[in-house]
Amino acid sequence: MTRVVSVALCLVLALGVDRALADPVDIARSVIRAQIQAFLEDDAETAYSFASPGIREKFPDQGVFFEMVKKSYQHLYRPGNFAFGRSKLVGDEVIQEVLISGSDGKDWTAIYELVPQPDGSYKINGVVMVQTAPGPAL
C-alpha cells in the first residue's frame, strides 16, 4: 500500500498539480498577468485568447478586440505598474482587483470577472475600470 501511495505521489509531482486542484484565484491571476504581458508586447492573438466566449461574441475579431482595449482600457494596455488587490470567489467565478499606476500618473483599479471553462481554465469575462481616489501626500 505504501508503494502505491509513493508511486501515485511521484506521478502527481511529475505531471504537475491538476488544474482542478489548483486555487482558482491563482489561476485567475496567472491569466490576468499573461494578458497584460500580451498587451505590453502588442500580441493581439494571445491577449484575445484569454477572452471568454461572451466577450468573443461581442468582439468576434481579435483586431477589433485589441483596438477596443487600446481605446477604452489604455491603463491596462500600457500600465505603469500593477499589483493584485483583493479577490473573491462568487460561486465558481473569480472577481479580482488589479491596482494600476496609469500612464497618466493616476491610480486605477481594474475589477476583473473571470469565468471557468469546461477544460478547467479561466477566461476574462469583463473588466470595470475605476479611478482610485488619491491618498494623502507623502
Side-chain angles (χ1 to χ4, degrees):
M1 180 69 165
T2 304
R3 182 176 165 95
V4 172
V5 172
S6 295
V7 170
L9 181 59
C10 288
L11 285 173
V12 167
L13 292 173
L15 298 174
V17 177
D18 184 12
R19 281 193 174 250
L21 299 175
D23 179 15
V25 171
D26 289 341
I27 295 170
R29 288 178 176 182
S30 294
V31 168
I32 293 166
R33 191 178 294 113
Q35 188 181 58
I36 291 174
Q37 186 62 42
F39 290 148
L40 290 169
E41 295 172 359
D42 284 322
D43 184 350
E45 182 178 354
T46 298
Y48 188 66
S49 74
F50 299 110
S52 72
I55 297 298
R56 287 172 173 259
E57 280 182 29
K58 292 179 185 177
F59 303 97
D61 175 83
Q62 70 185 21
V64 173
F65 168 79
F66 209 64
E67 287 305 313
M68 176 275 298
V69 170
K70 286 180 184 180
K71 282 185 177 180
S72 301
Y73 297 91
Q74 66 263 18
H75 306 297
L76 286 177
Y77 174 65
R78 289 292 187 261
N81 291 308
F82 71 93
F84 293 108
R86 298 173 296 178
S87 58
K88 178 175 158 181
L89 285 173
V90 179
D92 55 0
E93 295 181 8
V94 177
I95 308 299
Q96 176 66 58
E97 285 182 337
V98 179
L99 311 172
I100 298 169
S101 296
S103 55
D104 61 357
K106 297 177 182 171
D107 292 328
W108 295 84
T109 299
I111 302 169
Y112 278 79
E113 175 193 13
L114 292 97
V115 293
Q117 303 302 298
D119 67 358
S121 67
Y122 275 78
K123 300 287 183 178
I124 298 168
N125 199 47
V127 179
V128 174
M129 296 294 299
V130 179
Q131 186 174 352
T132 308
L138 296 177

